[in-house]
Amino acid sequence: MKKIAIATTLAFMFTSTLFAEPNLQKNPEGLKKLAQMAGETSPYYRAKKEVFPKDYFLVSQNLPFLVGTALFHPDSKKLNLTKEQLEKLVEMKKTIVPQSAKMAKKVKEMELKLAKNILDTNATPESQAKLVDEIAKAKADMTKAHLNCIDTVKHLLSPEQFKTLLELASTKQRMQKAKAQQAQPQAKKVDMNSEGAKLFQAKCAICHSTSKPTDMSKVVAPAVMGVMNHVKMKYPEKDKAIAFMKDYVLNPSADKAVCMPQKIKRFGLMPSQKESVTEKELDVILPWMFDNFPPKGFIGMGMMHR
């Protein structure tokens, strides 16, 4: 199935260059696996969101991650990759991501151990020096491998392609694009007077907000735009998305969930709504949700490139 999916993507790549789009779509299952492998963050972690495994390189912020950019950046079709180039990048990803994740997991475990040791009355800076050196070496090894990866990509692409790739990877380019999006007219407001909207308000809105929450301490379930963002990543076709949602609302289970594992850990598994909403009502609510969410320009957690 994976070979078929890649072949389909490759075929599409060479038949459509009219619109800016990624060479490949991100696989939600792959993101889930990385999240599961990353595990819990330290209670002292200061960033808003951990980006695993990128956060655990020695140089995590000031070097580009080019394989991911070449494959998944929203404008990566601009690279005009050949079939051979794309196939090699896909193969690199299959090797690099597991290796990086494994090394990052090791670094993270050592860092968490370092943090845990501060509770040990017998621990001193001197006694922890060996562990610090091990962390430093592991991070340095990761960044050396990262530089080798960048060099491989550089020699795989033409000079013009590589220049374009660096532009796509740059923070400045992303900021300019974000400003341009903000300058665009606001997306059309959701019609909250439709039958679907009214039923959603009556049956679903007590937990799922239709706007971005301002006080996260009061949030009891993901907002509808986040829910639909994940649903559409896995089920882009409307009929399949609606069928999935109807089944999940009535018969939820963790193995069916399309959200990140930490969401279920935080909010718990949604209970069955069999006693709260009928299938007939869902036939009105779910198409409305699909048609209106997420709003144009929505960027969910973890969707931005670094």
Side-chain angles (χ1 to χ4, degrees), residues 137-208:
K137 183 180 184 306
K139 285 194 165 191
D141 288 343
M142 288 181 69
T143 293
K144 289 174 184 177
H146 186 187
L147 288 172
N148 286 332
C149 177
I150 292 173
D151 189 66
T152 300
V153 173
K154 182 195 296 184
H155 288 89
L156 175 64
L157 305 183
S158 69
E160 187 62 33
Q161 286 175 317
F162 190 68
K163 179 182 177 182
T164 300
L165 180 58
L166 291 180
E167 290 173 354
L168 293 179
S170 74
T171 304
K172 182 178 179 181
Q173 192 265 358
R174 294 197 301 275
M175 290 177 66
Q176 288 174 340
K177 188 167 185 179
K179 286 182 179 179
Q181 289 176 340
Q182 290 174 0
Q184 292 177 354
Q186 292 294 316
K188 184 179 178 181
K189 288 187 176 181
V190 176
D191 179 10
M192 297 305 293
N193 294 316
S194 67
E195 188 63 24
K198 291 176 181 178
L199 279 172
F200 182 90
Q201 289 296 324
K203 302 289 183 175
C204 314
I206 190 171
C207 295
H208 298 285

Side-chain angles (χ1 to χ4, degrees), residues 28-29 32 36 234-235 244 247-265 267-272:
E29 293 303 316
K32 276 188 181 182
Q36 289 171 342
K234 187 162 186 179
Y235 301 101
F244 160 75
D247 175 61
Y248 190 83
V249 168
L250 301 176
N251 304 288
S253 64
D255 61 313
K256 295 178 186 176
V258 294
C259 63
M260 294 297 184
Q262 57 263 36
K263 294 294 184 183
I264 294 179
K265 187 167 185 178
F267 299 117
L269 184 67
M270 183 183 76
S272 172

Side-chain angles (χ1 to χ4, degrees), residues 281-301:
E281 288 171 329
L282 287 174
D283 288 337
V284 178
I285 295 170
L286 300 179
W288 174 81
M289 289 173 60
F290 188 94
D291 291 341
N292 289 282
F293 297 97
K296 186 177 181 181
F298 173 79
I299 299 176
M301 293 294 288

Side-chain angles (χ1 to χ4, degrees), residues 4-22:
I4 293 173
I6 292 173
T8 302
T9 304
L10 291 173
F12 184 76
M13 173 189 168
F14 294 109
T15 57
S16 176
T17 56
L18 294 176
F19 303 100
E21 56 186 315

Side-chain angles (χ1 to χ4, degrees), residues 36-37 57 88 92 119 157 169 180-181 198 207 239 282 306:
Q36 289 171 342
M37 189 173 186
F57 286 78
K88 286 181 180 179
M92 286 178 68
L119 299 174
L157 305 183
Q181 289 176 340
K198 291 176 181 178
C207 295
D239 57 340
L282 287 174
R306 286 185 54 184

Side-chain angles (χ1 to χ4, degrees), residues 12-260:
F12 184 76
M13 173 189 168
F14 294 109
T15 57
S16 176
T17 56
L18 294 176
F19 303 100
E21 56 186 315
N23 284 313
L24 293 177
Q25 296 292 337
K26 286 190 175 182
N27 179 7
E29 293 303 316
L31 297 175
K32 276 188 181 182
K33 288 180 181 178
L34 279 179
Q36 289 171 342
M37 189 173 186
E40 289 297 306
T41 57
S42 163
Y44 315 114
Y45 196 82
R46 287 184 294 278
K48 287 184 178 180
K49 180 177 175 63
E50 179 185 53
V51 182
F52 183 90
K54 294 179 181 179
D55 284 350
Y56 294 93
F57 286 78
L58 179 64
V59 183
S60 61
Q61 296 287 343
N62 294 306
L63 285 175
F65 289 84
L66 297 183
V67 173
T69 302
L71 293 176
F72 305 117
H73 189 284
D75 292 332
S76 58
K77 277 285 182 72
K78 291 180 179 179
L79 294 171
N80 293 317
L81 298 175
T82 66
K83 180 180 178 181
E84 290 73 23
Q85 286 175 324
L86 185 55
E87 288 176 341
K88 286 181 180 179
L89 286 166
V90 170
E91 287 303 314
M92 286 178 68
K93 176 184 175 297
K94 288 180 180 178
T95 302
I96 291 167
V97 172
Q99 288 178 347
S100 297
K102 185 177 180 180
M103 295 172 74
K105 181 69 173 178
K106 180 180 177 182
V107 170
K108 182 174 181 178
E109 287 173 348
M110 289 192 290
E111 289 188 357
L112 292 176
K113 182 179 179 182
L114 192 69
K116 185 178 180 180
N117 285 349
I118 64 176
L119 299 174
D120 185 348
T121 55
N122 295 318
T124 64
E126 292 75 18
S127 68
Q128 300 223 69
K130 182 179 178 181
L131 183 56
V132 172
D133 289 340
E134 289 176 1
I135 292 171
K137 183 180 184 306
K139 285 194 165 191
D141 288 343
M142 288 181 69
T143 293
K144 289 174 184 177
H146 186 187
L147 288 172
N148 286 332
C149 177
I150 292 173
D151 189 66
T152 300
V153 173
K154 182 195 296 184
H155 288 89
L156 175 64
L157 305 183
S158 69
E160 187 62 33
Q161 286 175 317
F162 190 68
K163 179 182 177 182
T164 300
L165 180 58
L166 291 180
E167 290 173 354
L168 293 179
S170 74
T171 304
K172 182 178 179 181
Q173 192 265 358
R174 294 197 301 275
M175 290 177 66
Q176 288 174 340
K177 188 167 185 179
K179 286 182 179 179
Q181 289 176 340
Q182 290 174 0
Q184 292 177 354
Q186 292 294 316
K188 184 179 178 181
K189 288 187 176 181
V190 176
D191 179 10
M192 297 305 293
N193 294 316
S194 67
E195 188 63 24
K198 291 176 181 178
L199 279 172
F200 182 90
Q201 289 296 324
K203 302 289 183 175
C204 314
I206 190 171
C207 295
H208 298 285
S209 170
T210 56
S211 59
K212 186 177 180 180
T214 55
D215 185 353
M216 295 303 293
S217 67
K218 296 180 180 179
V219 174
V220 297
V224 65
M225 63 279 292
V227 172
M228 291 310 303
N229 186 52
H230 283 289
V231 169
K232 287 184 176 180
M233 279 197 293
K234 187 162 186 179
Y235 301 101
E237 296 176 14
K238 185 174 180 178
D239 57 340
K240 292 182 179 179
I242 290 173
F244 160 75
M245 289 190 288
K246 180 184 283 189
D247 175 61
Y248 190 83
V249 168
L250 301 176
N251 304 288
S253 64
D255 61 313
K256 295 178 186 176
V258 294
C259 63
M260 294 297 184

